[in-house]
């Protein structure tokens, strides 16, 4: 409890953390709205088939995931940049406990941030759809609560991956490079690889799979939402375990 | 609880380079122990191994017989200052301290106390990027003192302090040792040890060069010398020569007598009826002793251009 309180103090007392949180919510929502702008002028007949207004309302996650991943990384990388990690570990020599406290505090902050981002994106975009006389979804429609819960967990898991990546790279810029590569570049490019390899990346690359978790309407060939969330969760746990091991054995 | 620090066969290798080489020493409570050596001698690495930040290749370094990770309450047992700049530049001094106070189960009241103790009470709400190096050192000391620990490990604590700050830090270290705490502080400057340390651990190239009290170190490594000035240097020279006392004649006609007490020189002169204008005992400065002592062990020696 003492260490959790200490880690919370460290996070809340630096403005960049608050900026990252607000940016996640604001940029996530704004980009979700922007992402559907080309649909708003058309008629219902022009909509993709099948039409999933819920998943379509979370397009801003593409960028929000990067911000929340960096939020996770920022829980530890500045300590390496300043050398504070030495002070932190001389106060809390049990390394696993220190890392667990960081991960716990980030998980709590990320859960709230993700939930707000998901709800706000969903509400704003559904209002835009309704205003444009397009079929929209309600919060209590079948499948919607589950999708928004999965969307919240999706962003939270990315934040946790961010903590792990920050611990492994020990560098803010290094973390940014890894997250941009893993969250944006690979899912954008790798599905174009020939044959089964491209198909695998298209379905099972962890954050691509995770995005399947917040679909309400399942299209042909799409992996099941539960499978998608499981793939992302397993990935997060593996990277977290690797970072924990590295944090325990490496010299500071 | 026993708060002595004990290193046994402590060794750290980085590839082929040996940073710390089979180092054994003991740091006792109630005394200020100076950890002295040229830059690159392995002082910081040794302190980092003590704090569990760096893993020894071989050997152990313990506090009261236990490795730091085995302590019941580390935040109340050991306080450390490793790098005074290790502060997030955008965090205020009081938030920085609060985060570490909380690991020891303490709160804002203790933060205010240590800020007062190090003379930073007025700077509590200021961000670290506005701090001078001297203020950083004070903040670092405040961080180390938060848990009221029995053991303090301070890496170059006098660095960047102005003369007033240096005197303050010395007094603080002496007072803390006087309360029975174990104080280990490092420096590459012998002059910083002179007025502060009771005991010395001298290292070079990661090896132990000396472990003794400051006084013993000085006695064992300095030579006695006496400067004598008289209007009759030739008479005195003869007298000293007859008495078998070695001496040198300095260019200014004074004599430098080595290996003899000033009283002996005075008695020889008196017996011959030679009036003396000056009879001064000169001590080799500790800086000179240390430089000579570690000369062969200096890694990064400046070369004249």
């Amino acid at each position: 409890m003492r260490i959790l309180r200490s880690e919370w103090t460290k996070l809340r007392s630096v403005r960049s953390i608050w900026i990252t949180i607000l940016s996640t919510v604001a940029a996530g929502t704004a980009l979700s709205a922007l992402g559907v702008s080309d649909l708003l002028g058309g008629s219902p007949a022009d909509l993709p088939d099948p039409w999933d207004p819920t998943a379509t309302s979370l397009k801003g996650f593409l960028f929000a995931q990067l911000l929340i991943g960096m939020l996770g990384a920022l829980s530890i990388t500045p300590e390496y940049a300043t050398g504070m990690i030495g002070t932190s570990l001389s106060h809390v020599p049990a390394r696993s406990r220190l890392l667990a406290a960081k991960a716990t505090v980030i998980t709590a902050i990320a859960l709230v941030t993700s939930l707000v981002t998901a709800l706000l994106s969903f509400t704003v975009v559904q209002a835009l759809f309704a205003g444009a006389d397009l079929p929209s979804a309600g919060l209590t429609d079948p499948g919607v609560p589950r999708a928004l819960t999965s969307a919240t967990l999706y962003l939270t898991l990315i934040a946790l991956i961010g903590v792990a990546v920050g611990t492994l790279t020990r560098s803010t810029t290094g973390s940014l490079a890894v997250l941009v590569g893993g969250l944006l570049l690979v899912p954008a490019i790798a599905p174009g690889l020939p044959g089964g390899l491209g198909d695998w990346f298209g379905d099972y690359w962890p954050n691509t799979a995770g995005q399947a978790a917040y679909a309400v309407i399942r299209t042909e060939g799409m992996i099941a939402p539960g499978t998608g969330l499981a793939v992302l969760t397993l990935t997060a746990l593996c990277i977290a375990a690797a970072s924990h091991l590295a944090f325990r054995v490496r010299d500071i | 609880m026993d708060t002595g620090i004990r290193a046994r066969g402590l060794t750290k290798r980085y590839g082929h380079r040996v940073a710390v080489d089979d180092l054994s020493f003991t740091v006792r409570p109630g005394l200020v122990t100076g950890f002295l050596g040229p830059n690159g001698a392995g002082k910081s690495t040794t302190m980092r191994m003590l704090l569990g930040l760096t893993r020894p290749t071989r050997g152990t370094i313990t506090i009261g017989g236990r490795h730091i990770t085995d302590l019941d309450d580390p935040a109340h047992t050991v306080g450390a200052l490793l790098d005074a700049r290790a502060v997030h530049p955008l965090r205020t001094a009081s938030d920085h301290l609060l985060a570490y106070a909380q690991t020891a189960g303490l709160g804002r009241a203790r933060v205010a106390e240590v800020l007062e103790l190090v003379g930073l009470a007025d700077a509590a709400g200021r961000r670290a990027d506005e701090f001078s190096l001297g203020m950083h050192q004070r903040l670092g000391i405040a961080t180390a003192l938060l848990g009221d620990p029995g053991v303090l490990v301070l890496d170059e604590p006098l660095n960047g302090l102005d003369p007033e700050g240096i005197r303050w830090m010395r007094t603080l270290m002496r007072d803390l040792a006087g309360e029975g705490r174990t104080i280990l502080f490092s420096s590459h400057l012998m002059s910083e040890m002179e007025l502060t340390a009771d005991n010395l651990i001298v290292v070079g190239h990661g090896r132990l060069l000396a472990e003794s009290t400051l006084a013993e170190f000085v006695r064992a490594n300095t030579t006695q010398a006496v400067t004598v000035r008289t209007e009759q240097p030739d008479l005195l020279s003869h007298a000293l020569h007859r008495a078998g006392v070695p001496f040198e004649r300095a260019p200014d006609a004074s004599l430098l007598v080595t290996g003899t007490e000033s009283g002996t020189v005075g008695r020889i002169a008196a017996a011959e009826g030679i009036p003396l204008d000056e009879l001064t005992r000169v001590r080799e400065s500790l800086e000179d002793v240390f430089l000579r002592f570690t000369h062969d062990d200096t890694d990064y020696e400046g070369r004249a251009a």
Side-chain angles (χ1 to χ4, degrees), chain A residues 32-226:
Chain A
S32 293
L34 207 63
V36 298
S37 56
D38 59 329
L39 298 172
L40 297 177
S43 73
D46 301 332
L47 292 177
D49 183 38
W51 172 234
D52 185 345
T54 305
T56 313
S57 72
L58 302 176
K59 289 195 167 169
F61 273 32
L62 196 67
F63 189 62
Q65 63 179 345
L66 192 60
L67 291 171
I68 208 159
M70 285 309 290
L71 177 74
L74 284 172
S75 71
I76 190 158
T77 53
E79 292 217 26
Y80 282 106
T82 58
M84 271 179 66
I85 190 74
T87 315
S88 298
L89 283 173
S90 67
H91 281 81
V92 184
R95 297 190 180 187
S96 305
R97 291 179 65 193
L98 186 72
L99 191 60
K102 285 185 185 296
T104 307
V105 173
I106 283 295
T107 302
I109 296 174
L111 266 174
V112 176
T113 309
S114 307
L115 181 64
V116 172
T117 309
L119 285 176
L120 212 57
S121 295
F122 178 82
T123 311
V124 167
V125 173
Q126 300 313 322
L128 290 173
F129 286 155
D133 288 327
L134 298 174
S136 61
L139 261 183
T140 49
D141 288 357
V144 171
R146 182 197 51 74
L148 292 181
T149 306
S150 299
T152 302
L153 292 177
Y154 173 84
L155 285 185
T156 306
L157 285 167
I158 300 287
L160 203 57
I161 288 174
V163 178
V165 168
T167 307
L168 284 167
T169 62
R170 298 184 274 190
S171 140
T172 306
T173 46
S175 301
L176 185 62
V178 170
L179 290 176
V180 167
L183 297 175
L184 297 179
L185 297 184
V186 174
I189 295 167
L193 289 170
L197 197 60
D199 293 344
W200 183 86
F201 273 105
D203 284 340
Y204 289 104
W205 182 253
N207 73 320
T208 310
Q211 284 157 15
Y214 52 81
V216 173
I217 314 282
R218 203 171 148 197
T219 51
E220 189 74 25
M222 198 176 185
I223 66 169

Side-chain angles (χ1 to χ4, degrees), chain B residues 190-235:
Chain B
M190 183 72 205
S191 55
E192 293 187 341
M193 296 288 168
E194 274 192 78
L195 298 168
T196 321
D198 301 303
N199 282 346
L200 281 187
I201 294 166
V202 187
V203 290
H205 272 324
R207 286 190 305 272
L208 185 72
L209 298 181
E211 181 182 16
S212 68
T213 65
L214 181 74
E216 248 172 60
F217 181 76
V218 172
R219 199 164 345 125
N221 297 288
T222 51
T223 45
Q224 290 273 358
V226 179
T227 300
V228 217
R229 198 184 304 277
T230 169
E231 287 177 1
Q232 296 159 312
D234 293 334
L235 277 180

